[in-house]
């Protein structure tokens, strides 16, 4: 990692704390021009000091690695020609550089604010909550780092590291010890955080939910590929998840698609979330995913996501196909439409000033959608629905302000309560093939029944069922690849075969199919098998155990050649302390 990446935020207070104003979702003070000598003088300033951790340093990860690593590599998204689709990413890749820089910036900023908060002139309650938020976000950053890069250095205190001047000598730490460091960090965060925090902020239950997920992942680290995970780690994952489910008071939202609407940015199901703001106090405080993933012309600002498409394999998982007649499609899972738009889909909560958003009309009616491309551009017959707010009129109606190119106020949910439910089920299954535990069955039922109303309470749930449920529930939310990474820790062959069995290619002839259907006033759906079919000529990508660890950016390795050396074991609990 580069020196600039690690110490990026270390001197932010010397330049003033303007970054704290980029998110106004939590009682920030109105004053401007603070610096290190006159800030942290009351509860309001102390609380506001962590606001930036909810957005700005995550921006480069959101715009580069967030969907390409977890979604394209996992087979959830199709991006033709992308090295993430073909597992040919190398250290010169700009998205890897941005991912690394962003995640180290989160760590640096969390470290710096945490240390400064120790001397804040504020009440203990407010000061402790802010320090807990710093540690929770730091743990999240490391959780991404270790799952993406494997063995990584530990930068515990940026100020002391800078003072010592030993950045060139930082060594990689074995991922098992990195996971223990994350556990230690979250334990301290749980100690500091309140049980209830302001809406949108991290509380103790959020940190416990993340710790459950960390333990679930950690359980397979030293398994040696034998399919058996650490029983103690699994038990702790189940215990923390059960605590959140039964004692937090938080509930799943009744309607799945409502989770992703702007008015529910801070819903209690969103345990961790990036809370973006279109206010341009700082460019990187806004959500850029609309520009990255939406079709051109979907809103008034530039977007280029026509060809970034939900994969054929993800459609298969939902039990649908672009060759299905929209009038007869077996759309039993409500999550499908909330995740991807397909022929025949209409959304009442988008384009409200036009009476709603009609996907096919958008593709083929220039009067209705003058900014759209000419017809279907997606090679899989679908486009992304998640992470969209509609047009600018919808944004103003929801948030009271205009969006802009690469910036909106729509939150990105990073850890949801439904995830914790499924973590609990998987942890209860543990090293068995299934579970009949009543509390695990209830958790699984709660998640699946919300999406599939005809689903009845099961008598048992298998590991494969819960893994598929996780994929459907969290599709396009930056998670599925990390499920495969977790699997690779304890059963690498299953992880490899999961990818090799996917349908990762696109279709021929869908544009003609959709156009003729629309031109017939949606009365005639005729599939010509000779011209409308799934493409099978592109070979299955070369997948082996190495693909589950991405390379360090070349510039980081040049700066610190120790990153090419074997990782070292570190007793993190004796080496570091909070």
């Amino acid at each position: 990692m580069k020196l600039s990446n690690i110490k990026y935020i270390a001197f932010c207070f010397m330049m003033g704390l303007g970054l704290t104003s980029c998110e106004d979702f939590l009682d920030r003070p109105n004053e401007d021009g603070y610096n290190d000598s006159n800030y942290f003088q009351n509860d309001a300033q102390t609380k506001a000091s962590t606001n930036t951790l909810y957005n700005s340093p995550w921006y480069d990860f959101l715009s580069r690695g967030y969907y390409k690593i977890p979604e394209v590599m996992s087979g959830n998204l199709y991006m033709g020609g992308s090295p993430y689709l073909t597992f040919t990413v190398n250290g010169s890749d700009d998205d890897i550089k941005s991912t690394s820089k962003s995640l180290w910036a989160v760590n640096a900023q969390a470290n710096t604010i945490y240390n400064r908060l120790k001397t804040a002139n504020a009440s203990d309650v407010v000061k402790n909550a802010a320090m807990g938020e710093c540690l929770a976000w730091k743990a999240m950053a490391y959780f991404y780092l270790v799952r993406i890069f494997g063995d990584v250095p530990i930068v515990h205190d940026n100020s002391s590291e800078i003072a010592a001047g030993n950045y060139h000598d930082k060594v990689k730490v074995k991922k098992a010890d990195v996971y223990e460091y994350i556990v230690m960090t979250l334990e301290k965060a749980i100690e500091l955080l309140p049980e209830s925090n302001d809406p949108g902020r991290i509380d103790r239950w959020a940190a416990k939910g993340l710790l459950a997920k960390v333990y679930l992942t950690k359980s397979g680290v030293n398994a040696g590929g034998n399919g058996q995970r650490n029983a103690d780690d699994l038990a702790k994952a189940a215990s923390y998840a059960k605590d959140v489910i039964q004692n937090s008071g938080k509930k799943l939202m009744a309607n799945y698609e409502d989770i992703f609407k702007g008015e529910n940015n801070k819903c209690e199901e969103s345990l961790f979330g990036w809370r973006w703001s279109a206010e341009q106090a700082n460019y990187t405080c806004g959500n850029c995913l609309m520009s990255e993933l939406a079709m051109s012309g979907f809103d008034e600002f530039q977007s280029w996501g026509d060809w970034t498409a939900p994969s054929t394999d993800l459609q298969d998982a939902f039990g649908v196909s672009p060759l299905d007649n929209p009038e007869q499609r077996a759309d039993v899972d409500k999550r499908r439409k909330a995740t991807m738009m397909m022929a025949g889909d209409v959304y009442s909560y988008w384009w409200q000033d036009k009476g709603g958003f009609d996907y096919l009309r958008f593709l083929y009616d220039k009067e209705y959608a003058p900014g759209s491309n000419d017809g279907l551009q997606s090679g899989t017959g679908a486009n992304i629905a998640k992470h969209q707010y509609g047009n600018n009129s919808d944004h103003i109606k929801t948030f009271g302000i205009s969006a802009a190119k690469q910036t909106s106020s729509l939150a990105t949910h990073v850890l949801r309560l439904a995830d914790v439910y499924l973590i609990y089920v998987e942890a209860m299954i543990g090293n068995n093939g299934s579970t009949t535990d009543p509390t695990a069955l209830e958790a699984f039922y709660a998640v699946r029944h919300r999406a599939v109303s005809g689903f009845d309470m099961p008598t048992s749930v298998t590991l494969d069922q819960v893994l598929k449920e996780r994929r459907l529930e969290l599709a396009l939310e930056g998670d599925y690849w990390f499920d495969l990474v977790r699997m690779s820790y304890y059963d690498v062959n299953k992880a490899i075969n999961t990818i090799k069995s996917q349908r990762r290619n696109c279709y021929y002839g869908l544009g003609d199919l959709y156009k003729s259907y629309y031109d017939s006033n949606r009365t005639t759906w005729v599939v010509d098998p000779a011209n409308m079919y799934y493409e099978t000529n592109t070979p299955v990508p070369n997948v082996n155990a190495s693909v589950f660890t991405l390379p360090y950016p070349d510039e980081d390795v040049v700066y610190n050649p120790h990153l090419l050396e074997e990782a070292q074991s570190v007793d993190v609990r004796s080496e570091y302390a909070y």
Side-chain angles (χ1 to χ4, degrees):
M1 67 216 145
K2 288 169 46 179
L3 172 63
S4 59
N5 288 353
I6 300 174
K7 70 176 186 179
Y8 170 61
I9 303 298
F11 303 111
C12 66
F13 300 113
M14 296 173 61
M15 298 181 291
L17 294 175
L19 283 176
T20 63
S21 67
C22 70
E23 176 55 83
D24 63 350
F25 79 99
L26 287 168
D27 300 330
R28 63 179 172 87
N30 294 321
E31 302 93 333
D32 293 318
Y34 288 110
N35 57 49
D36 191 39
S37 63
N38 64 15
Y39 206 72
F40 297 101
Q41 296 304 309
N42 53 54
D43 282 0
Q45 293 174 7
T46 298
K47 181 182 291 188
S49 67
T50 62
N51 283 3
T52 187
L53 290 173
Y54 287 82
N55 44 49
S56 189
W58 295 97
Y59 182 87
D60 282 346
F61 177 51
L62 181 81
S63 65
R64 298 300 189 107
Y66 171 73
Y67 61 94
K68 291 180 182 176
I69 295 172
E71 302 299 343
V72 178
M73 290 186 71
S74 72
N76 273 354
L77 276 182
Y78 175 81
M79 289 185 70
S82 169
Y84 292 87
L85 187 67
T86 56
F87 300 99
T88 55
V89 178
N90 58 47
S92 65
D93 183 80
D94 286 338
D95 298 322
I96 284 293
K97 295 177 186 177
S98 293
T99 292
S100 176
K101 178 181 178 181
S102 179
L103 296 175
W104 285 116
V106 175
N107 180 62
Q109 188 156 338
N111 282 340
T112 303
I113 298 173
Y114 175 83
N115 285 329
R116 182 60 183 86
L117 283 165
K118 293 176 182 178
T119 57
N121 184 22
S123 66
D124 287 343
V125 171
V126 170
K127 186 161 59 174
N128 287 344
M131 293 172 73
E133 290 173 77
C134 288
L135 295 183
W137 279 123
K138 174 180 180 173
M140 182 67 80
Y142 260 106
F143 194 34
Y144 278 119
L145 283 165
V146 72
R147 291 179 298 169
I148 293 171
F149 298 109
D151 306 326
V152 293
I154 290 177
V155 181
H156 183 69
D157 182 342
N158 290 75
S159 298
S160 62
E161 296 275 0
I162 292 169
N166 61 355
Y167 278 90
H168 293 282
D169 299 324
K170 295 298 293 184
V171 299
K172 292 188 300 186
V173 175
K174 288 186 176 181
K175 61 177 177 280
D177 297 327
V178 176
Y179 276 108
E180 187 61 26
Y181 183 72
I182 298 170
V183 168
M184 182 182 80
T185 301
L186 283 171
E187 288 173 347
K188 185 63 176 180
I190 291 168
E191 175 187 325
L192 293 168
L193 285 163
E195 286 202 3
S196 177
N197 209 340
D198 293 341
R201 284 200 186 272
I202 297 166
D203 59 21
R204 186 176 300 166
W205 301 110
K208 286 185 176 183
L210 179 57
L211 185 51
K213 192 166 187 173
V214 171
Y215 267 122
L216 183 67
T217 308
K218 177 178 177 287
S219 67
V221 169
N222 290 323
N226 62 8
Q228 296 295 298
R229 294 186 264 184
N230 183 279
D232 288 341
D233 287 341
L234 290 169
K236 289 176 181 175
S239 177
Y240 277 107
K242 186 176 183 179
D243 191 16
V244 174
I245 294 167
Q246 294 190 344
N247 300 318
S248 69
K250 299 177 186 293
K251 304 296 182 184
L252 299 178
M253 293 196 72
N255 188 13
Y256 181 81
E257 68 180 1
D258 287 346
I259 301 167
F260 310 100
K261 296 177 181 177
E263 56 264 33
N264 298 315
N265 266 356
K266 295 173 282 187
C267 64
E268 65 179 14
E269 186 164 340
S270 182
L271 303 180
F272 276 74
W274 296 321
R275 313 302 181 190
W276 307 102
S277 175
E279 279 190 304
Q280 289 300 291
N282 187 318
Y283 173 72
T284 58
C285 295
N287 187 341
C288 64
L289 286 182
M290 186 78 165
S291 294
E292 299 284 347
L293 303 179
M295 296 174 290
S296 178
F298 188 67
D299 72 351
E300 290 82 348
F301 310 104
Q302 187 178 7
S303 53
W304 45 86
D306 299 73
W307 300 274
T308 302
S311 70
T312 299
D313 199 72
L314 183 59
Q315 294 177 55
D316 291 346
F318 275 113
V320 298
S321 166
L323 297 179
D324 292 338
N325 186 327
E327 300 297 325
Q328 302 169 3
R329 188 166 53 221
D331 244 336
V332 298
D333 194 321
K334 299 171 186 175
R335 295 171 297 197
R336 196 283 303 163
K337 184 181 175 185
T339 301
M340 66 182 84
M341 36 183 119
M342 300 181 70
D345 286 342
V346 176
Y347 297 82
S348 61
Y349 49 88
W350 291 334
W351 288 32
Q352 295 177 61
D353 59 333
K354 296 177 179 288
F357 177 81
D358 185 319
Y359 180 52
L360 283 177
R361 188 179 177 190
F362 174 86
L363 296 178
Y364 300 112
D365 184 344
K366 281 295 184 181
E367 183 176 345
Y368 174 71
S372 64
N373 279 311
D374 293 328
L376 179 71
Q377 307 297 312
S378 164
T380 69
N383 283 99
I384 297 170
K386 278 185 182 175
H387 309 294
Q388 316 296 342
Y389 58 77
N391 60 17
N392 195 43
S393 175
D394 298 323
H395 193 280
I396 293 172
K397 182 177 180 180
T398 301
F399 301 109
I401 55 175
S402 174
K405 178 183 175 182
Q406 291 186 284
T407 183
S408 81
S409 294
L410 189 66
T412 306
H413 306 307
V414 182
L415 177 67
R416 291 198 285 109
L417 184 61
D419 191 351
V420 178
Y421 276 56
L422 296 176
I423 288 166
Y424 178 64
V425 181
E426 184 176 345
M428 290 297 291
I429 292 172
N431 290 318
N432 302 308
S434 63
T435 183
T436 58
D437 178 85
T439 57
L441 299 182
E442 289 172 5
F444 185 85
Y445 173 80
V447 174
R448 182 154 182 79
H449 182 73
R450 174 173 67 176
V452 182
S453 57
F455 180 74
D456 296 326
M457 178 71 74
T459 56
S460 67
V461 175
T462 67
L463 179 59
D464 286 341
Q465 282 179 307
V466 74
L467 291 173
K468 181 177 180 180
E469 197 65 23
R470 288 185 57 79
R471 184 184 189 185
L472 300 179
E473 176 69 23
L474 304 171
L476 309 188
E477 294 181 56
D479 202 78
Y480 186 44
W481 175 250
F482 300 125
D483 279 359
L484 296 175
V485 169
R486 182 173 72 252
M487 184 189 298
S488 75
Y489 289 166
Y490 66 92
D491 194 343
V492 68
N493 289 329
K494 182 175 181 178
I496 290 171
N497 291 333
T498 297
I499 296 171
K500 285 185 174 181
S501 66
Q502 292 175 340
R503 297 209 300 165
R504 299 170 69 94
N505 302 339
C506 56
Y507 278 83
Y508 291 117
L510 293 180
D512 292 337
L513 176 64
Y514 284 17
K515 181 68 163 57
S516 63
Y517 176 67
Y518 184 78
D519 287 345
S520 72
N521 200 27
R522 313 187 201 217
T523 60
T524 304
W525 182 270
V526 179
V527 176
D528 176 7
N531 296 300
M532 303 167 183
Y533 58 92
Y534 176 73
E535 185 267 305
T536 58
N537 294 327
T538 302
V540 175
N542 181 27
V543 184
N544 53 49
S546 68
V547 305
F548 298 102
T549 302
L550 272 67
Y552 285 105
D554 289 345
E555 56 194 45
D556 290 8
V557 175
V558 169
Y559 179 79
N560 183 5
H562 291 298
L563 297 178
L564 296 177
E565 299 172 358
E566 290 295 317
Q568 297 183 12
S569 294
V570 175
D571 184 347
V572 296
R573 292 189 182 269
S574 63
E575 184 74 17
Y576 306 108
Y578 289 109

